[in-house]
Amino acid sequence: MNGVEHLLSGLALPVVGAAGVAVFRYLPNLREGVSLLTAGALFFCVASLVPSVLEGARPGFELLEVMPGLQIAFRVEPLGMLFALVASGLWIVSSLYSIGYMRANGEANQTRFYVCFALALAATIGIAFSANAFTLFIFYEALTLVTYPLVTHHGTDGARNGGRTYLAVLIGTSVVFLLPALVFTWHTTGTTDFRAGGILAGKLDPVPMAALLALYMFGIGKAALMPFHRWLPAAMVAPAPVSALLHAVAVVKAGVFSVVKVVVYLFGTEALGNGVPTDWLIAISGFTILAASVVALNADNLKRRLAYSTISQLSYIVLAVAVLAPLSMIGAVLHIAAHALGKITLFFAAGAIYTASHKTEVSELDGIGRRMPWTMGAFAIGALSLIGIPPAAGFFSKWYMVQGAAASESWVALAVLATSTLLNAAYFLPVIYSAFFRTERVAPRHDHGEAPATSVAALVITAAATLALPFAGGIPLELARAVWGGS
Amino acid sequence: MSVALHMPVLQVVVPLLSAPLAVLARRGSLPFMFTTAAAWFAFATSIALWMEVEHGAVLSYFIGSWPAPWGIEYRVDRLSALFLLLVSGLAAVVLPYSRRSIQAEIPREQHYLFYALFSLCLAGLLGITVTADAFNIFVFLEIASLSTYVMIALGRDRRALVASYQYLVMGTIGATFFVIGVGLLYLMTGTLNLPDMAERLAAERHTRPVLAALAFITVGLSLKLALFPLHQWLPNAYTYAPSAVTAFLAGTATKVSLYVLVRFYYSVFGESLVFRHLPLPEIMLLLSLAAMFVASGIAIFQRDFKKLLAWSSIGQIGYITLGLSFDTVTGLTASLVNLFNQAVTKCGLFLLLGGAVIVAGGSTLERLAGLGRTMPLTSFGIVIGGLGLIGVPGTAGFISKWYLVLAALERGEWWLVFAVLLSSLLAVAYVWRFVEAAYFRPAPPGRPPRREAPASLLIPAWLMIAASVYFGLDTSVTVGSASGAAEMLIGVKK
Amino acid sequence: MNAASHFSYWATICLMVMGLFIVMARANLIKKLVGLAIFQTSIYLLYIAPGKLIGGTAPIIADGFSVYSNPLPHVLILTAIVVGIAVLALGLALVVRIREAYDSIEEDEILAAEERQP
């Protein structure tokens, strides 16, 4: 098997898995087995591409030509590799987690859930391996649509309203900003291929270039740049595994991944550094980081707090990209992985708490650490990683960002990073403190311990991975460096 | 070989003959067979014709061997081939569907009349597309329209009668305006043959009768193609007609009128007169924008899903005329591609809806509630078709939107780009009304828990939906023909 | 060139406008159809009148005749008349059915009946 076959099977596997899940819809055990198996096979498939990509191979192929000069084509490059690796790896864990969660909460329509989940992964892998912005756009929109049934899984009025916001913001921004940006790019350059050094370099004056950049940045609504962030908290009506995998990993990371891709491979960091005004992007992402942190600080609902924390963490990546320094770019790429691991742990923990105790508010969590030590321990590790305390993964990505900001003398960015670290600590530490060091104010309705074993196993794995990532042979770092080194 | 030479005329004559045959056969399934065979024959012929003209050839056929400009000429070029393909293709799919569908909607003793009318309508629409004689266009237009009025009146609801009457009055005014325009052109040139007319007009392009003719033809055809604000006949006609009729009309009637408009603008009057010396493009641009926003906006508030789709059609016509008003190759391509894709998607949607109406007993959103659970295949198909209306990537609607945005960008008009895209968001709103009704609300009491529409309805409907996805991934037929036709009409200087 | 020399055009335009006005202004469905018929009739005049040459005859080649009227408009208008009759007949048939269904042929009464019935 060569790289292209791995790539092809990587794209096809989740779709096949979705079909398999649908076939075995009356046999829950087999159905979930298929789901888990597909996840494992996908990860293996993606992981087997890593060595050759690190050696500089860029396997790819063209699927079909939709319009003259516009192809659906795929190509593996380091950034996509990292993203695919994170998404497929965490799919395994979250499949494990979903089995416990969905059964313990007696959720309806589980087959639809697993099918859409697999399809969402297919779209994510499609995004990760897109060879041009056109392909990326197609899968980007597909991801929005296949996650819609997951967001509205409960089918209640609340779910319907959340789903409306989710769609309105994501479809709205992508259609009104991203699509014209794409058409304009194609109109100007005659291609939408992702190329090292960018395709727009030298084709546009600085001001139109900045305007186009704005269209892209706001058009990629999944990156949740304010004021287009409302979909993320709205999507929290979804069951916890969905919030965990999709809204900590696949969907939001697809957003920031697209941001990085667009900046690096469409514009080219050098072209942007050449007098194109980008200060506004630093300002907006900085504002998003701080504002979202403040909202998170005031949110009592745990999932809502995590959602706003996600918004702020995503803007770290946009901010790091906007700084345009090599080191901050590496930080941005690393943060995609680091935040994914940390945040999925937190969402798993929130889901586990809900499953075991039906508690959703931060103020109810006093003393819960004694009943659920593993869950809350993992929660603490995830939170510390996101605050940026060594040796958790979040520390390293922040380290590169700070260095990059310092190297390019972007004091605004530095100030934002410093302030937001304090804010992160302010909204996470009280949760950990009250969980472990306060006594229960009200006794829970029923005596409970930990959530189902598979769920706890999943969150322990991700917490461990958060700690282990920096020592994992440096693969993420090497991939991040390869992005910067150009392909 | 000799048959192949006569293809342009057989295309029209065969459906025309199947109408009296259907009436004579009367009972049993013979009328159905005659009509379907004729439609399939027409489809096969149009594919053959399309392949012949695909590389720029123009086929001329002289009726009774009287050479043009004295005799009537049938003329197939890239533009007409695309429309022949569309009209006959839709007929070939709708007819097998109609067999089961009209059993539920039309009294048994009238079935043979339905088939006869359908044949006549098909012959009329194909005739409009294939003929190069201005008066002949009028005659075919009236053949198609008259049979359409009757088919609409066959609807079960008594409102179908009023809708048909309104359409008859408006349609006749439209056709009469058209024929006034043709009359004026005839007075100025002394010919009815379109290419000949174009040649003779060159000398007197700016005289007042020619301008009057242009005005009459534009208004007349705008009535027929339901350009906002001349659209009042459309919503009720589409809503109360039998499902198969609505599906066929939505894909063909307004589209063929648009064909005639494009034909007259580019092949007779010439673009310099129409688009440079008159404020016509500006007027058309404004009306198109109004259609896009107002009609789509009205669509959102409909309670009846069939009427919602009808309003959406009026909005979509706005996109088509918008591309036309640009007067660029990309604009015209966008317009034609949009027309084709829109026809296929809407036809599929109305077909699926027809099946749902039979099972659910109505097309209001209350009746369709819970459809996602009781009729999963139907409602999933409607969702896919709806995504096509929105223009989600991977559906045909996306291709049309892409070209329209590209055409607006080529003119450097960013506000138009945003107008087009913002209005397409209105489509999300009205499509989601169905999604929420079908998937979030419980089925009304009394509906069988899980019953799909019969396969004879589902298969043709899904065929159209599949086609709408296929044309979103492989655009060689649609974009290829449309851009070829646009280049031919505008005469690109490459 | 004076108004009288364009007499046939004036007649055409009068008929045309009268017909259209009746279609729009009358609520009675049959009167509307009458207007429509008048409107269509104006077209017949529009086509036929210019084909007539003063002193012209039918286009049959014979000694002593050198000026012929154009026969083509007659042929066209024969077709148009047939179309017009078909439209009128269909329209009247619809009115009969509407009267059976609504018990009225007044447009406003029918619309009122529609509004009562949701």
Side-chain angles (χ1 to χ4, degrees):
Chain A
M1 288 237 290
N2 60 22
V4 175
E5 283 162 18
H6 282 261
L7 171 58
L8 195 61
S9 43
L11 291 163
L13 261 173
V15 180
V16 176
V21 167
V23 167
F24 296 117
R25 59 186 176 277
Y26 299 117
L27 305 164
N29 289 332
L30 204 53
R31 174 186 69 192
E32 279 138 46
V34 168
S35 183
L36 211 55
L37 194 71
T38 315
L42 177 64
F43 181 69
F44 173 76
C45 203
V46 171
S48 65
L49 280 166
V50 173
S52 59
V53 170
L54 280 177
E55 282 164 18
R58 301 285 181 267
F61 68 96
E62 185 188 314
L63 188 66
L64 52 92
E65 188 169 46
V66 174
M67 284 177 267
L70 282 170
Q71 301 91 358
I72 296 186
F74 301 96
R75 211 164 70 95
V76 185
E77 45 77 54
L79 182 59
M81 186 73 250
L82 182 67
F83 179 44
L85 212 53
V86 170
S88 61
L90 291 179
W91 188 25
I92 307 179
V93 192
S94 61
S95 299
L96 201 65
Y97 180 84
S98 325
I99 296 171
Y101 181 92
M102 299 302 278
R103 290 189 179 185
N105 286 310
E107 297 274 357
N109 298 323
Q110 292 196 20
T111 303
R112 186 179 80 194
F113 175 85
Y114 287 110
V115 168
C116 288
F117 221 109
L119 288 179
L121 254 293
T124 310
I125 299 293
I127 291 174
F129 291 146
S130 298
N132 54 43
F134 179 68
T135 313
L136 186 133
F137 180 72
I138 291 177
F139 283 100
Y140 180 96
E141 295 288 56
L143 183 59
T144 308
L145 292 171
V146 294
T147 48
Y148 174 78
L150 292 171
V151 170
T152 56
H153 185 79
H154 293 302
T156 56
D157 282 353
R160 192 189 62 196
N161 292 338
R164 276 184 186 173
T165 315
Y166 184 76
L167 269 191
V169 176
L170 288 186
I171 298 258
T173 51
S174 69
V175 165
V176 178
F177 302 124
L178 187 53
L179 181 59
L182 198 59
V183 180
F184 186 65
T185 306
W186 191 62
H187 181 57
T188 317
T189 64
T191 176
T192 64
D193 284 354
F194 290 125
R195 287 196 200 132
I199 55 171
L200 283 158
K203 292 269 169 57
L204 280 176
D205 292 336
V207 174
M209 187 97 110
L212 186 62
L213 182 67
L215 281 182
Y216 271 114
M217 291 302 116
F218 290 115
I220 301 172
K222 291 196 170 84
L225 213 52
M226 277 184 184
F228 300 112
H229 65 285
R230 296 258 322 127
W231 65 271
L232 224 170
M236 289 305 140
V237 295
V242 175
S243 307
L245 182 66
L246 297 179
H247 301 117
V249 184
V251 176
V252 293
K253 289 305 168 342
V256 285
F257 170 77
S258 307
V259 166
V260 179
K261 273 268 218 206
V262 163
V263 169
V264 175
Y265 293 122
L266 286 188
F267 287 91
T269 41
E270 273 173 40
L272 280 182
N274 266 341
V276 178
T278 51
D279 294 339
W280 55 270
L281 188 57
I282 296 185
I284 290 174
S285 52
F287 174 79
T288 308
I289 295 177
L290 297 180
S293 300
V294 171
V295 178
L297 199 56
N298 292 318
D300 191 35
N301 183 295
L302 183 57
K303 275 180 89 176
R304 188 175 156 81
R305 186 174 286 198
L306 294 181
Y308 274 96
S309 155
T310 304
I311 295 172
S312 112
Q313 297 281 339
L314 291 175
S315 278
Y316 272 88
I317 297 169
V318 180
L319 178 77
V321 169
V323 167
L324 292 173
L327 282 174
S328 66
M329 206 65 84
I330 291 176
V333 176
L334 281 184
H335 203 61
I336 291 182
H339 174 248
L341 284 171
K343 194 46 72 62
I344 202 171
T345 311
L346 295 178
F347 274 116
F348 279 166
I353 292 169
Y354 174 75
T355 313
S357 69
H358 286 275
K359 285 177 178 168
T360 54
E361 307 300 305
V362 174
S363 53
E364 299 169 339
L365 295 184
D366 290 352
I368 201 162
R370 279 172 224 166
R371 289 180 181 275
M372 308 177 72
W374 286 100
T375 303
M376 291 317 291
F379 185 93
I381 292 173
L384 294 178
S385 169
L386 292 188
I387 298 169
I389 292 173
F395 166 73
F396 295 93
S397 49
K398 258 192 190 171
W399 175 254
Y400 278 105
M401 286 186 206
V402 170
Q403 281 207 321
S408 64
E409 299 182 350
S410 180
W411 308 121
V412 179
L414 269 182
V416 167
L417 285 174
T419 321
S420 72
T421 302
L422 291 177
L423 285 167
N424 285 345
Y427 63 72
F428 276 137
L429 291 181
V431 180
I432 303 173
Y433 175 80
S434 53
F436 283 108
F437 301 109
R438 285 220 188 116
T439 48
E440 269 178 8
R441 261 181 297 176
V442 213
R445 255 167 288 155
H446 59 276
D447 199 39
H448 68 85
E450 284 282 3
T454 51
S455 299
V456 177
L459 60 91
V460 169
I461 292 171
T462 53
T466 309
L467 292 175
L469 186 69
F471 310 104
I475 287 177
L477 189 59
E478 276 183 50
L479 285 172
R481 287 223 171 99
V483 175
W484 181 241
S487 49
Chain B
M1 189 55 220
S2 61
V3 175
L5 277 177
H6 293 285
M7 277 195 308
V9 73
L10 284 177
Q11 176 97 31
V12 183
V13 168
V14 170
L16 200 60
L17 280 181
S18 87
L21 284 181
V23 174
L24 289 176
R26 206 167 171 131
R27 280 180 207 297
S29 44
L30 272 180
F32 166 74
M33 284 174 184
F34 285 139
T35 313
T36 311
W40 286 359
F41 172 81
F43 187 42
T45 314
S46 68
I47 292 176
L49 285 172
W50 181 76
M51 279 163 40
E52 270 193 51
V53 302
E54 180 51 15
H55 300 291
V58 176
L59 296 180
S60 274
Y61 181 88
F62 302 111
I63 301 280
S65 298
W66 291 94
W70 294 284
I72 291 173
E73 181 191 1
Y74 280 9
R75 206 177 155 85
V76 183
D77 59 15
R78 302 188 76 169
L79 182 68
S80 36
L82 183 67
F83 279 83
L84 288 177
L85 202 62
L86 178 68
V87 172
S88 58
L90 291 188
V93 175
V94 170
L95 269 170
Y97 173 96
S98 68
R99 180 146 207 228
R100 174 72 184 76
S101 163
I102 62 171
Q103 275 174 12
E105 291 178 288
I106 299 176
R108 192 168 190 78
E109 62 276 13
Q110 289 176 350
H111 283 185
Y112 73 101
L113 289 174
F114 168 82
Y115 291 116
L117 289 164
F118 198 103
S119 306
L120 282 178
C121 186
L122 178 61
L125 293 170
L126 291 172
I128 297 170
T129 319
V130 86
T131 184
D133 181 281
F135 201 80
N136 215 214
I137 292 183
F138 165 72
V139 174
F140 279 126
L141 200 63
E142 284 297 45
I143 292 179
S145 304
L146 281 165
S147 45
T148 306
Y149 306 145
V150 186
M151 285 200 288
I152 290 171
L154 286 177
R156 265 186 307 184
D157 197 300
R158 65 174 181 171
R159 281 171 288 189
L161 296 171
V162 183
S164 168
Y165 180 87
Q166 281 171 338
Y167 187 16
L168 178 132
V169 172
M170 302 280 267
T172 306
I173 293 176
T176 311
F177 266 59
F178 173 74
V179 86
I180 293 172
V182 170
L184 291 172
L185 286 177
Y186 177 62
L187 293 183
M188 293 308 288
T189 60
T191 182
L192 287 166
N193 182 276
L194 296 182
D196 194 35
M197 195 185 264
E199 250 170 58
R200 297 188 190 203
L201 267 181
E204 28 215 339
R205 196 151 270 169
H206 299 284
T207 54
R208 195 169 290 174
V210 174
L211 294 182
L214 176 61
F216 273 112
I217 289 178
T218 302
V219 174
L221 290 175
S222 300
L223 254 170
K224 281 279 186 188
L225 65 86
L227 176 63
F228 187 89
L230 302 173
H231 62 275
Q232 289 95 335
W233 59 268
L234 191 145
N236 283 339
Y238 279 17
T239 309
Y240 302 117
S243 305
V245 176
T246 309
F248 186 60
L249 284 189
T252 54
T254 53
K255 315 296 188 242
V256 165
S257 307
L258 212 114
Y259 161 82
V260 181
L261 195 65
V262 171
R263 180 58 87 197
F264 267 85
Y265 278 2
Y266 284 99
S267 303
V268 177
F269 290 107
E271 52 163 340
S272 70
L273 172 67
V274 178
F275 292 103
R276 312 257 159 74
H277 294 280
L278 294 174
L280 199 69
E282 286 81 6
I283 295 172
M284 197 179 265
L285 182 87
L286 284 178
L287 293 181
S288 309
L289 284 174
M292 282 153 52
F293 281 97
V294 178
S296 307
I298 293 174
I300 297 175
F301 297 100
Q302 296 305 312
R303 282 174 58 231
D304 188 312
F305 190 57
K306 216 171 167 188
K307 206 173 239 179
L308 187 154
L309 289 179
W311 278 104
S312 138
S313 284
I314 299 170
Q316 298 285 346
I317 287 163
Y319 293 96
I320 299 170
T321 48
L322 182 70
L324 183 60
S325 78
F326 288 170
D327 183 37
T328 56
V329 172
T330 319
L332 192 56
T333 307
S335 187
L336 294 175
V337 170
N338 196 352
L339 185 149
F340 190 94
N341 290 341
Q342 165 70 14
V344 171
T345 312
K346 263 292 157 48
C347 179
L349 278 170
F350 277 120
L351 290 180
L352 280 172
L353 187 59
V357 168
I358 290 177
V359 177
S363 57
T364 56
L365 285 166
E366 286 91 58
R367 283 256 132 224
L368 297 179
L371 206 69
R373 236 155 273 124
T374 57
M375 302 178 76
L377 282 176
T378 303
S379 58
F380 187 60
I382 293 180
V383 171
I384 302 276
L387 294 179
L389 292 184
I390 299 171
V392 168
T395 61
F398 176 66
I399 309 293
S400 348
K401 204 158 73 175
W402 178 277
Y403 270 92
L404 202 53
V405 169
L406 192 63
L409 269 182
E410 269 181 3
R411 289 164 51 106
E413 297 189 13
W414 277 92
W415 69 273
L416 263 178
V417 173
F418 288 114
V420 168
L421 294 172
L422 276 174
S423 71
S424 78
L425 288 182
L426 294 174
V428 182
Y430 61 68
V431 170
W432 239 257
R433 290 207 62 201
F434 172 79
V435 173
E436 292 185 353
Y439 291 94
F440 288 92
R441 275 195 252 148
R447 174 115 54 87
R450 194 180 178 112
R451 204 181 108 207
E452 261 303 341
S456 55
L457 298 185
L458 266 184
I459 293 170
W462 263 93
L463 207 62
M464 290 320 279
I465 295 292
S468 84
V469 173
Y470 173 79
F471 288 124
L473 294 175
D474 177 9
T475 58
S476 53
V477 173
T478 50
V479 174
S481 303
S483 62
E487 281 167 12
M488 175 195 82
L489 290 173
I490 298 190
V492 241
K493 309 96 198 168
K494 262 188 182 166
Chain C
M1 290 286 265
N2 53 35
S5 75
H6 287 71
F7 164 75
S8 70
Y9 289 111
W10 289 114
T12 307
I13 290 169
C14 279
L15 282 177
M16 201 181 278
V17 175
M18 266 159 54
L20 260 186
F21 177 78
I22 296 172
V23 174
M24 285 187 284
R26 294 292 137 185
N28 186 302
L29 297 186
I30 290 183
K31 285 184 185 166
K32 267 181 188 293
L33 288 179
V34 171
L36 204 61
I38 295 176
F39 179 48
Q40 285 185 307
T41 310
S42 73
I43 313 307
Y44 309 159
L45 206 54
L46 177 76
Y47 271 75
I48 297 214
K52 171 70 185 167
L53 291 180
I54 294 171
T57 62
I60 302 166
I61 297 175
D63 292 336
F65 299 104
S66 57
V67 182
Y68 304 114
S69 289
N70 186 351
L72 190 62
H74 294 79
V75 183
L76 297 179
I77 287 318
L78 265 180
T79 319
I81 290 173
V82 173
V83 169
I85 289 174
V87 170
L88 198 59
L90 177 59
L92 289 172
L94 279 173
V95 174
V96 171
R97 291 281 310 279
I98 288 174
R99 172 158 161 90
E100 283 168 6
Y102 288 88
D103 207 20
S104 166
I105 55 166
E106 294 293 323
E107 197 173 32
D108 37 7
E109 287 177 24
I110 293 168
L111 290 179
E114 279 312 324
E115 267 162 38
R116 277 197 302 278
Q117 175 206 40

